[in-house]
């Protein structure tokens, strides 16, 4: 079986070998693939692995040998799963590999926005503590998480883990989920409507998929409903935010802080309004990318391929669920 990886660099920039996948077929790895080269590079492949390189209906139709699509991520919106299902091609993702990494990134954002460690470290190192009249000082209001309310939009594995950590910090937890209604093993916790969650939370963190219903869900009206000084964190998908509206809420001091690991267009454009917004932390879509998480992703990807070859594919996100030829 010929296996082609279209964009493998972010999974393995040199520290996460492809050995487990290479053992399963004739492997070709491309670090990156421009749109115009997708069909040429995927031609003749029985299996195509992709992270962010799109496989639309026309591309899938142009690949008669294609029997399996592996998504090197949890989100699979880069693949036309209906077109693949029509060809009985399973699309298999890797759920849960980054749960711990992303949840920790959420709190890295939150703690920095509340305590401004980097700013105070820089202040000390330019001499401001040495020259201070008192034995201590702070340049920003210091915020404790204990007693604050964390609102979690999307309560799957990721949202649940964030809720556990929030509870450990002594926060109250609110969650919105259109599907999951299982209760976590801690209090205080409540499921609430989306509007109530935004209105009551001191911190809102997004862990929902990008769909027609969620695109632009954080807009001017929803931002206006939030508490003065509330914090917003997005490690899910950039287009969940109306970025211009969010930037305006930051610059007007209504929104107290923002942490985003994702933006609407990636890599970020130089004119993105968040780049110049106040109290905004931006990381380059790296929350998932701990070595441990990437090793897990590689291992599960190889497992997905082995399961397909055995006739019982796993982590299939489209239907029907076909078996290997």
């Amino acid at each position: 079986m010929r296996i082609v990886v279209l964009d493998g660099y972010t999974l393995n920039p040199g520290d996460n070998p492809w050995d487990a996948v290479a053992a399963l077929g004739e492997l070709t790895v491309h670090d990156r693939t421009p749109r115009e080269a997708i069909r040429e590079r995927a031609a003749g492949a029985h299996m195509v692995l992709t992270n962010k390189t799109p496989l639309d209906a026309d591309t899938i139709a142009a690949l008669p040998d294609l029997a399996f699509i592996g998504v090197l991520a949890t989100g699979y919106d880069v693949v036309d799963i209906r077109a693949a299902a029509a060809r009985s091609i399973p699309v298999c993702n890797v759920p849960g590999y980054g749960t711990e990494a992303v949840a920790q990134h959420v709190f890295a954002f939150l703690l920095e926005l509340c305590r401004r460690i980097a700013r105070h470290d820089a202040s000390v190192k330019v001499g401001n503590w040495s020259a201070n009249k008192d034995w201590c000082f702070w340049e920003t209001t210091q915020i404790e998480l204990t007693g604050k309310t964390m609102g979690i939009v999307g309560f799957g594995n990721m949202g649940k883990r964030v809720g556990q950590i929030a509870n450990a910090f002594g926060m109250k937890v609110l969650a919105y989920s259109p599907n999951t209604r299982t209760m976590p093993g801690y209090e205080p916790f409540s499921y609430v409507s989306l509007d109530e969650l935004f209105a009551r939370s001191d911190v809102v963190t997004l862990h929902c998929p990008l769909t027609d219903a969620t695109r632009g869900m954080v807009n001017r009206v929803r931002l206006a409903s939030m508490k003065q000084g509330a914090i917003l964190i997005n490690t899910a998908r950039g287009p969940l935010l109306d970025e211009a509206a969010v930037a305006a809420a930051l610059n007007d001091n209504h929104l107290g802080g923002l942490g985003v690991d994702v933006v609407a267009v990636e890599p970020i454009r130089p004119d993105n309004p968040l780049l110049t917004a106040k109290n905004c932390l931006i990381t380059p879509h790296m929350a998932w990318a701990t070595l441990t998480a990437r090793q897990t992703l590689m291992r599960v990807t190889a497992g997905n391929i082995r399961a397909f070859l055995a006739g019982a594919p796993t982590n299939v996100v489209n239907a029907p669920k076909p078996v290997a030829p």
Side-chain angles (χ1 to χ4, degrees):
M1 300 291 280
R2 183 172 175 228
I3 307 169
V4 172
V5 180
L6 294 175
D7 52 356
Y9 182 81
T10 54
L11 178 54
N12 175 30
D15 58 357
N16 189 24
W18 291 96
D19 297 358
V21 175
L24 302 173
E26 178 188 338
L27 178 65
T28 301
V29 179
H30 301 283
D31 284 347
R32 305 164 189 86
T33 296
R35 282 180 177 266
E36 62 271 16
I38 295 173
R39 295 188 191 183
E40 176 186 353
R41 291 183 176 181
H46 304 98
M47 303 183 186
V48 170
L49 308 183
T50 181
N51 190 321
K52 294 295 181 288
T53 302
L55 293 173
D56 58 23
D58 290 341
T59 299
I60 292 170
L63 301 172
D65 298 311
L66 186 60
F68 173 92
I69 297 172
V71 181
L72 302 171
T74 300
Y76 48 86
D77 47 293
V78 297
V79 179
D80 189 321
I81 60 173
R82 293 182 180 85
R87 284 265 312 276
S88 294
I89 298 170
V91 178
C92 300
N93 73 338
V94 184
Y97 75 93
T99 298
E100 297 297 333
V102 175
Q104 291 173 27
H105 204 84
V106 168
F107 283 89
F109 274 141
L110 183 54
L111 291 170
E112 175 61 19
L113 287 166
C114 289
R115 306 306 293 263
R116 298 294 183 180
I117 299 297
R119 172 171 172 168
H120 288 86
D121 171 71
S123 181
V124 168
K125 289 175 180 175
V126 297
N128 290 339
W129 195 10
S130 300
N132 201 62
K133 295 179 180 179
D134 301 306
W135 56 273
C136 68
F137 74 96
W138 51 92
E139 297 178 351
T140 61
T141 299
Q142 297 293 287
I143 299 170
E144 290 187 16
L145 297 181
T146 306
K148 297 290 192 295
T149 298
M150 167 74 84
I152 304 171
V153 180
F155 209 59
N157 290 336
M158 190 77 68
K160 287 185 173 69
R161 185 63 180 128
V162 170
Q164 290 172 340
I165 299 171
N167 174 260
F169 273 104
M171 302 182 76
K172 305 169 187 176
V173 178
L174 304 177
Y176 168 78
S177 176
N179 301 313
T180 304
R181 287 285 168 172
T182 57
M183 297 297 292
Y186 57 80
E187 293 286 349
F189 172 88
S190 299
Y191 283 106
V192 295
S193 70
L194 195 59
D195 288 341
E196 185 177 352
L197 184 146
F198 273 85
R200 290 178 54 188
S201 298
D202 300 293
V203 181
V204 174
T205 179
L206 307 181
H207 301 285
C208 55
L210 177 64
T211 66
D212 290 341
T214 61
R215 186 180 297 273
M217 65 184 294
V218 184
N219 53 28
R220 180 179 57 81
V221 173
R222 187 150 276 142
L223 288 162
S225 74
M226 296 178 72
K227 292 181 178 181
Q228 178 80 29
I231 291 171
L232 175 65
I233 298 172
N234 184 17
T235 56
R237 287 291 185 263
L240 296 173
L241 307 187
D242 177 338
E243 291 175 339
V246 172
L250 288 165
N251 292 331
D252 291 344
N253 297 316
H254 179 70
L255 194 60
L258 174 71
V260 293
D261 187 55
V262 289
V263 292
V265 178
E266 297 174 350
I268 195 168
R269 292 178 175 174
D271 61 350
N272 187 302
L274 297 180
L275 287 170
T276 54
K278 295 192 294 188
N279 297 321
C280 179
L281 302 177
I282 305 173
T283 53
H285 206 145
M286 58 178 276
W288 67 281
T290 63
L291 178 58
T292 298
R294 289 185 289 112
Q295 289 171 334
T296 300
L297 199 160
M298 186 72 77
R299 182 175 65 254
V300 175
T301 294
N304 284 345
I305 295 173
R306 283 194 299 271
F308 169 72
L309 293 173
T314 54
N315 297 317
V316 180
V317 298
N318 62 335
K321 299 181 179 181
V323 297

